[in-house]
Amino acid sequence: TDNTDRTVTDTHSLLGDFVVDFRFFGLHRFYLGKPWTGLLYLLTGGVFLLGVIYDCWAINDQISEEIFHYQAV
């Protein structure tokens, strides 16, 4: 089971890295299960960059929380 857990974590990390690279388009919000804020980011360029700046500090915690919830299921 250790190998499976590692694969899931690695997959989430790679996907998370990809999504973070496109944060101006709100893809990271869709990935985190927040479609309304994802749409808002998509339409406003990351809420005029203020949301993007916030997410630079908060995205790691948000992804870790999502991985925790995924592994708990």
Side-chain angles (χ1 to χ4, degrees):
T1 55
D2 289 333
N3 192 22
T4 304
D5 291 339
R6 187 175 195 195
T7 303
V8 169
T9 303
D10 291 344
T11 301
H12 278 283
S13 294
L14 289 173
L15 186 56
D17 291 343
F18 172 76
V19 168
V20 167
D21 290 338
F22 291 95
R23 68 182 136 235
F24 295 102
F25 302 109
L27 294 181
H28 65 293
R29 291 292 180 164
F30 290 105
Y31 170 74
L32 293 171
K34 301 175 182 179
W36 294 111
T37 56
L39 184 61
L40 180 67
Y41 272 51
L42 182 65
L43 296 175
T44 63
V47 189
F48 309 110
L49 298 178
L50 295 176
V52 173
I53 293 169
Y54 165 77
D55 284 335
C56 285
W57 284 278
I59 195 72
N60 289 331
D61 293 334
Q62 293 173 5
I63 290 174
S64 296
E65 183 179 315
E66 190 64 26
I67 290 170
F68 176 77
H69 288 299
Y70 178 79
Q71 290 177 343
V73 173

